[in-house]
Structure formats: C-alpha cells, structure tokens
C-alpha cells in the first residue's frame, strides 16, 4: 500500500496547456511553486505543451516561461490586477468556474491608530515545496512594541497569531507592550474551506511535514526573524489562536516545542479528530511531560467546550503538568454579560486575550 500524502485528501489534478508548437522549451510557474521556472517543465503534447499538477481548492496566479520569455496564458481571460499574471480558481464543484471577486486578492485593513511605524505589512515568500501543497502567499500583519523605534539595541519576544486578519481590525486594538505580534491571516478569503484544511492538521502526532506548519515555521517565522529585532529562541516565541486557530496553536506548540514555548488557545476546537482517530487529548497523553506551556480557555456558553476544557485539565494533570505554572485551563463565566449569551465570538476573545498574554510573558 502506498504511503499516504497530505495531497491525497483535498487536491485536484489541474492540467496546464500552452497552445503553441514552435517553442523549444516551456514551463509553468506561479505561486504554487514559488515562481520557480525550473520547477515544472511541460511536455510536448497534441495541444502544444502540457503538464498536470496537484493543487488544492483555491486561487492561483501563474505564467508560462517560453524559451526564457515570461508570458501570460493567452487562452485564459482572467488576469491579476497587477503584474498581468494569469489567474485561476480551483474548486471542488465542477460547476463553479472563474474567480471570486477578489480585487485585490489580499485582504487589507486600515490601521486607524497606526503612525506607520508600529504596524508593518509583509508578504513572505512561500517555499516551492510548501507552495506545491496549495499554501498560498498572503499578507501578514506585524505589530511592533512602542519602544521598537527608539530602543535600537533591544530585541523582542514574538507571538504568532492565527486568523490574523482579525487581530488588529478594530479601533480598540491593544497589544502586548513587551512583545511583537504577527497576525497570519487564514486563506478562506481565497476559497471557503481553506482555513479548515490549514488549521485541522491531518495527523496530530506527527506534523513535521504538515504543509501549513512548515509555512509558519520556515516561511513566516523565518521572514520575521530575518527582518526584525526578535528574540528568536524558544523561550520568546509563542503562538495564539481561537477556535480552529486555537487548535492549530495547540498542535503547533506541542509538536514543535523546540520552536514555541507557549500556546495560547482561546476556545480551541479540542474535539476535532484527525485521520488516524487521534484527538488533542491523545497529543497530551503522548507527551508524557510538559513540552511547553499552555493556556486553554472557553466561554461558559459554548456547548461542550467547558467540559472539554475540564477534560484537558484532568489529562494534563495526569501527565504531570502543574496548573498555574505549566498550564491554565479556565472557563470564563461570561454568558450573562454578552449579547444573546453567545460566547464563541471575537468580542469575548478580545477581553480574554490579554490575560493569556500575561501568562505567556509570565506577568502578574
């Protein structure tokens, strides 16, 4: 039996065709292979030149390289708003054709209280191997502490936040003053369902080759550490997320504790079961000892979530974790103070995240 690949579950065969017979050599390159003209050379065919690639559902930009000359696909009417790249949309429903109205293709948010220095926007390159699994390039949002511009000798801890398109999107943004924060948006803006594919890893116990995990560690963290004055060691690197973002934060820190010392998991999706029937509780049992520090919380109006937080507390204690030092499992009794008792929402997480920050930074 062949080994399972992450590409097996959500990936589609996409045929690229260059309709010309006079060329000597043609390749296709795009954001799915890091724009590497040597990555996918096309073969001669009845149509001209063609190649079949495995791509996930989503939005892609590409060009052909014809005898060293870059050219868009003249038979594809869809082009990007800049660079004149050809664009396409891969969708699991064969009746869906064309593109979502993405103009521009990246979400952009006004930093209403920014002076141009406190917030930065980057678009880190995606390594070709990671891009081949459908992890698309995206803008990430970087918060710099107030002293970053004035104290040029100082380096800072960093928290990497999932669903980062929501991290700084209100006038009331408050960030941890002693740490930098990196908001990594999900890719649901490209295609509905991508967030689940990225955040709900296929195998909990071994994420060493998981495409999204590699993207965070290699591409995003690599870019941040190279361009900003960070403290890149484990002790000063944290991950943050809510709901499915809380789940991937948990899995990220538990499996890569050599990189992340703390996971801040707000209302995490603890009940998710991977393809081998493992749950987040199995990850804790397999660790056998505190690999990192954990903050796990829930609102009291989130159906089974408070029970799951209690289960996580019991599981961690059975494995030798010490509450208060190694972990915090907390159910916020907030149902009575929010509209309609809905506690699985960003307005509630906004209130709780600062307590989580203090835990990560060991502040009282």
């Amino acid at each position: 039996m062949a080994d399972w690949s992450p590409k097996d579950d959500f990936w589609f065969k996409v045929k690229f065709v260059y309709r010309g017979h006079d060329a000597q050599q043609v390749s296709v390159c795009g954001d799915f292979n890091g724009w590497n003209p040597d990555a996918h050379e096309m073969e001669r065919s009845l149509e001209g030149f063609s190649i079949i690639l495995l791509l996930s559902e989503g939005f892609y930009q590409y060009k052909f390289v014809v005898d060293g000359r870059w050219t868009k696909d003249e038979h594809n009417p869809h082009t990007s708003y800049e660079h004149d790249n050809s664009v396409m949309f891969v969708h699991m429903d064969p009746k869906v054709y064309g593109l979502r109205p993405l103009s521009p293709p990246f979400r952009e948010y006004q930093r209403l209280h920014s002076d141009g220095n406190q917030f930065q926007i980057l678009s880190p390159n995606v390594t070709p191997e990671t891009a081949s699994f459908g992890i698309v390039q995206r803008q990430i949002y970087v918060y710099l502490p107030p002293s970053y511009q004035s104290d040029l000798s100082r380096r800072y801890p960093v928290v990497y936040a999932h669903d980062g398109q929501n991290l700084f999107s209100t006038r009331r943004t408050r960030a941890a003053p002693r740490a930098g924060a990196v908001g990594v948006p999900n890719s649901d803006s490209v295609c509905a369902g991508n967030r689940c594919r990225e955040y709900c890893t296929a195998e909990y116990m071994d994420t060493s080759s998981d495409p999204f995990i590699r993207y965070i560690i290699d591409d995003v963290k690599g870019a941040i550490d190279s361009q900003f004055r960070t403290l890149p060691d484990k002790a000063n690197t944290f991950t943050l997320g809510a709901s499915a973002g809380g789940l991937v934060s948990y899995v990220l820190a538990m499996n890569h504790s050599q990189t992340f010392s703390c996971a801040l998991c707000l209302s995490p999706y603890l009940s998710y079961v991977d393809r081998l029937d493992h749950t987040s509780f199995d990850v804790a049992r397999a660790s056998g000892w505190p690999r990192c520090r954990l903050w796990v919380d829930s609102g009291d109006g989130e159906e089974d979530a408070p029970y799951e937080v209690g289960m996580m507390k019991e599981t961690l204690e059975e494995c030798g974790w010490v509450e208060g030092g190694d972990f915090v499992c907390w159910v916020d009794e907030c149902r009575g103070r929010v509209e309609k008792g809905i506690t699985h929402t960003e307005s509630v997480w906004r209130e709780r995240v600062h307590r989580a920050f203090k835990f990560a930074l060991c502040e009282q």
Side-chain angles (χ1 to χ4, degrees):
M1 181 177 178
D3 290 338
W4 176 85
S5 165
K7 291 186 177 181
D8 291 346
D9 282 351
F10 306 111
W11 312 89
F12 304 89
K13 291 181 179 180
V14 177
K15 186 176 183 179
F16 291 85
V17 177
Y18 173 74
R19 301 183 186 279
H21 296 272
D22 297 333
Q24 298 300 311
Q25 185 179 45
V26 180
S27 62
V28 61
C29 55
D31 43 21
F32 46 80
N33 64 9
W35 295 95
N36 180 1
D38 299 321
H40 293 110
E41 184 174 345
M42 303 171 70
E43 297 183 352
R44 287 190 179 274
S45 63
L46 293 177
E47 302 100 329
F49 290 80
S50 62
I51 190 173
I52 295 176
L53 301 180
L54 285 176
L55 298 178
S56 71
E57 186 180 33
F59 168 89
Y60 297 96
Q61 301 190 38
Y62 70 97
K63 277 185 175 178
F64 296 124
V65 181
V66 182
D67 294 334
R69 178 177 58 88
W70 293 64
T71 180
K72 66 181 180 181
D73 185 350
E74 297 294 345
H75 293 270
N76 181 351
H78 302 291
T79 57
S80 63
Y81 77 105
E82 62 178 356
H83 305 308
D84 203 30
N85 296 325
S86 296
V87 294
M88 65 177 179
F89 187 64
V90 179
H91 200 285
M92 66 173 60
D93 184 349
K95 297 179 182 178
V96 175
Y97 174 77
L99 297 170
R100 283 188 174 188
L102 296 174
S103 181
F106 295 121
R107 292 185 179 182
E108 294 183 354
Y109 296 85
Q110 288 185 327
R111 306 294 179 251
L112 300 175
H113 58 299
S114 172
D115 61 2
N117 293 319
Q118 195 170 1
F119 289 97
Q120 305 280 338
I121 298 178
L122 301 180
S123 295
N125 291 326
V126 182
T127 57
E129 172 62 19
T130 302
S132 73
F133 287 91
I135 303 300
V136 297
Q137 188 180 27
R138 69 201 76 186
Q139 289 180 333
I140 63 174
Y141 307 116
V142 182
Y143 162 85
L144 302 174
S147 61
Y148 187 88
Q149 305 296 341
S150 58
D151 189 350
L152 300 182
S153 63
R154 185 174 177 182
R155 293 182 173 273
Y156 295 85
V158 179
V159 57
Y160 292 86
H162 305 289
D163 293 313
Q165 74 277 4
N166 302 319
L167 194 62
F168 309 117
S169 59
T170 75
R171 292 180 180 271
R172 294 181 293 173
T173 293
R174 295 180 298 161
R178 290 204 305 111
V182 177
V184 183
N186 66 58
S187 59
D188 254 11
S189 60
V190 173
C191 177
N194 276 4
R195 177 176 182 265
C196 182
R197 295 188 184 94
E198 290 182 343
Y199 290 2
C200 298
T201 182
E203 293 188 16
Y204 278 144
M205 299 300 190
D206 181 10
T207 59
S208 58
S209 60
D210 182 89
F212 183 72
I213 299 295
R214 296 318 320 169
Y215 167 69
I216 295 295
I217 295 175
D218 298 337
D219 300 336
V220 175
K221 187 176 186 301
I224 295 299
D225 289 340
S226 67
Q227 297 186 47
F228 297 96
R229 299 193 314 275
T230 68
L231 292 168
D233 61 305
K234 163 187 173 175
N236 292 285
T237 305
F238 321 118
T239 179
L240 162 70
S243 191
L247 172 66
V248 74
S249 295
Y250 171 83
V251 174
L252 187 61
M254 290 291 279
N255 284 290
H256 300 273
S257 56
Q258 72 278 14
T259 302
F260 297 91
S261 64
C262 185
L264 307 177
C265 312
L266 282 63
S267 303
Y269 186 16
L270 296 178
S271 59
Y272 179 78
V273 179
D274 73 6
R275 61 179 296 270
L276 298 179
D277 293 329
H278 292 140
T279 69
S280 55
F281 306 102
D282 295 319
V283 176
R285 296 185 188 101
S287 70
W289 51 277
R291 298 185 182 185
C292 57
R293 300 174 70 231
L294 291 175
W295 173 282
V296 181
D297 71 20
S298 168
D300 59 349
E302 297 184 43
E303 298 181 348
D304 293 335
Y307 170 72
E308 292 167 359
V309 170
M311 282 184 58
M312 180 59 71
K313 176 180 182 296
E314 294 178 5
T315 302
L316 293 173
E317 288 179 333
E318 290 171 0
C319 295
W321 295 56
V322 177
E323 186 174 18
D326 299 327
F327 76 94
V328 167
C329 285
W330 172 51
V331 176
D332 182 10
E333 297 180 357
C334 56
R335 181 167 47 185
R337 66 175 189 267
V338 298
E339 184 178 357
K340 298 181 180 179
I342 299 173
T343 62
H344 194 87
T345 179
E346 290 169 0
S347 61
V348 177
W349 297 330
R350 185 186 303 122
E351 297 176 3
R352 297 206 298 258
V353 70
H354 303 287
R355 298 181 63 163
F357 272 141
K358 289 182 178 180
F359 172 76
L361 297 170
C362 299
E363 296 178 348
Q364 298 298 320

